[in-house]
Amino acid sequence: MDIAALNPLFRYVLVRTSHPGNIGSAARAIRTMGFTRLELIAPHRFPDDEATAMAAGADDVLAGAGIHTDLVGGLAGATLVLGLSARRRGVTLPELDPRQAAAQAVAAAGRGEQVAWVFGNERTGLENDELARCHAMVRIPSVDDFSSLNLSQAVQVAAYETRMAQLAGAGGGEAVPSNDEPPADAEQLERFFEHLAQTLDDIEFHKGRQPDTILLRLRKLFLRARPDLRELRVMHGIFADAQRMASLARKNSSG
Ligand code: SAH
């Protein structure tokens, strides 16, 4: 398989980037490894001369960069989402190093799936709700007392490992079992999670407890299962029926 033919399946997503120079450096970093797709989520300043200067000629990447207001928009179509973080957050996601993650990314692309590598803001990193949209957390194994790389250097590591996995013909090594049907993408999953949350409210599942923890747990379960669209439709159908029964029960008890 021609490596370049699959490269449009990989995207690099920069979330709330503060310094436009880092956007330019990231464009250069991915371009050197054969990738061109950059998605920017609410960049503080873009386009910007500093970005152009640091891109050092990777102008096609900058010109083609998508700009979105939120992460879900930048993930449209992606079925494997890998979030890079220097530290563990409150989210219990499977943790991979970049090499393991790249092997999975290349295997997924080989099945025709779209892969997103997601990077956080320079100072604050990825927020918990952003990491909750990822299938795995990827940590570059830096030392504990100085763990944070420059954003574009972290992008370079991910792009380099992806390229190395491609050159090695990485195929297997998938930790997530596959299905003949393609898994649902990030937007379809988001709609599913919204319906799930609404249904739990409607059936009064929480009984005064905070919904956040259980919702994160359920997110983890469904992200691990990687449901396809038909499976999600069945779940939407179940939720709709549960909502209908809950509303009937409310009417009966009030009437
Ligand atoms: N203080 C922030 C650091 C942000 S650095 C934090 O602790 O998360 C900007 C981005 O570069 C991070 O959000 C992450 O996507 C990436 N990055 C930097 N160092 C990394 C590391 N050791 N492992 C994985 N990603 C890293």
Side-chain angles (χ1 to χ4, degrees):
M1 173 57 83
D2 175 15
I3 289 178
L6 293 185
N7 281 356
L9 296 176
F10 297 92
R11 78 185 75 172
Y12 293 79
V13 182
L14 308 186
V15 183
R16 292 174 286 102
T17 310
S18 300
H19 302 297
N22 277 335
I23 298 177
S25 301
R28 178 182 188 176
I30 68 170
R31 186 69 179 78
T32 55
M33 298 295 122
F35 304 102
T36 51
R37 188 155 174 206
L38 193 64
E39 303 291 337
L40 306 175
I41 316 299
H44 292 200
R45 267 173 35 217
F46 187 81
D48 189 276
D49 288 347
E50 256 178 83
T52 308
M54 293 305 280
D59 301 329
D60 49 342
V61 175
L62 289 186
I67 302 178
H68 312 269
T69 50
D70 66 8
L71 178 56
V72 176
L75 295 179
T79 53
L80 180 61
V81 182
L82 301 164
L84 276 88
S85 180
R87 357 173 218 140
R88 284 163 185 268
R89 299 295 178 110
V91 193
T92 47
L93 279 175
E95 190 179 311
L96 303 173
D97 69 34
R99 196 155 297 172
Q100 297 166 322
Q104 287 203 33
V106 170
R111 297 190 296 269
E113 292 183 34
Q114 295 187 40
V115 177
W117 291 98
V118 183
F119 303 84
N121 167 270
E122 291 90 333
R123 202 170 48 77
T124 52
L126 288 171
E127 304 288 341
N128 282 342
D129 67 324
E130 292 161 346
L131 271 175
R133 283 168 177 74
C134 301
H135 291 95
M137 191 195 107
V138 182
R139 214 180 70 77
I140 299 165
S142 48
V143 294
D144 286 342
D145 65 342
F146 206 87
S147 63
S148 178
L149 280 75
N150 165 268
L151 169 60
S152 68
Q153 292 176 352
V155 173
Q156 186 74 74
V157 170
Y160 167 76
E161 287 294 348
T162 309
R163 173 124 176 109
M164 286 300 278
Q166 290 177 315
L167 293 173
E174 37 167 332
V176 270
S178 65
N179 171 351
D180 292 339
E181 293 293 312
D185 75 13
E187 278 180 321
Q188 293 158 343
L189 281 171
E190 240 13 74
R191 273 199 295 280
F192 168 77
F193 288 128
E194 279 163 22
H195 198 178
L196 171 60
Q198 186 57 54
T199 305
L200 292 180
D201 273 351
D202 291 351
I203 66 172
E204 291 167 27
F205 177 78
H206 302 301
K207 302 178 188 62
R209 291 175 303 232
Q210 274 300 319
D212 301 8
T213 311
I214 186 77
L215 287 176
L216 279 175
R217 268 183 208 284
L218 288 168
R219 239 177 210 286
K220 193 180 158 207
L221 164 66
F222 284 103
L223 285 173
R224 189 168 72 232
R226 309 223 310 151
D228 60 43
L229 200 50
R230 209 177 326 162
E231 291 163 338
L232 286 192
R233 282 206 193 100
V234 174
M235 297 302 296
H236 277 297
I238 294 172
F239 297 162
D241 276 355
Q243 289 177 304
R244 193 168 48 80
M245 297 307 283
S247 126
L248 271 178
R250 265 194 299 278
K251 275 193 204 115
N252 285 344
S253 65
S254 67

